[in-house]
Amino acid sequence: MREWFRSVGERIKALLARLSFRTGVIILALCIPFYILSFAQALLPISNTAKGVLWFILFGMAKTTQYTGLTIIGVDGWKRVKKWFKHYK
């Protein structure tokens, strides 16, 4: 079972490595609307259970896009993003 998980992890890593830096930045930027929506749903006039379910889904999507984007761009890409923000600050 451990070998199966390891092989699946390696295949996912290889798939993400084929994606471009630009794709990683776009996916990373998608986490911002998910974070906003995950907390803005508290203002909706729905039950607390529905709010909890929406928060769980939207916050999970925000974290998923955040970590996927960071995985795609990698360490060198993250340095490029930080350099860009410092340049336009």
Side-chain angles (χ1 to χ4, degrees):
M1 188 66 142
R2 182 178 289 178
E3 294 297 323
W4 182 80
F5 280 115
R6 188 170 290 147
S7 68
V8 169
E10 289 173 3
R11 284 185 281 177
I12 291 172
K13 186 177 176 182
L15 173 74
L16 293 176
R18 287 187 277 155
L19 297 173
S20 69
F21 173 78
R22 185 176 185 173
T23 304
V25 171
I26 291 169
I27 291 175
L28 188 59
L30 281 175
C31 75
I32 297 168
F34 281 122
Y35 277 123
I36 292 170
L37 288 172
S38 70
F39 290 105
Q41 57 77 30
L43 302 174
L44 294 174
I46 55 178
S47 70
N48 286 338
T49 305
K51 287 180 184 182
V53 170
L54 277 174
W55 182 84
F56 178 79
I57 292 169
L58 293 170
F59 195 76
M61 288 298 298
K63 284 296 184 187
T64 302
T65 55
Q66 177 184 354
Y67 291 131
T68 303
L70 288 174
T71 302
I72 292 170
I73 65 173
V75 174
D76 294 329
W78 181 244
K79 289 178 184 176
R80 283 175 60 185
V81 171
K82 283 174 51 176
K83 183 179 173 183
W84 183 83
F85 275 113
K86 286 181 181 179
H87 177 69
Y88 285 103
K89 186 177 181 182

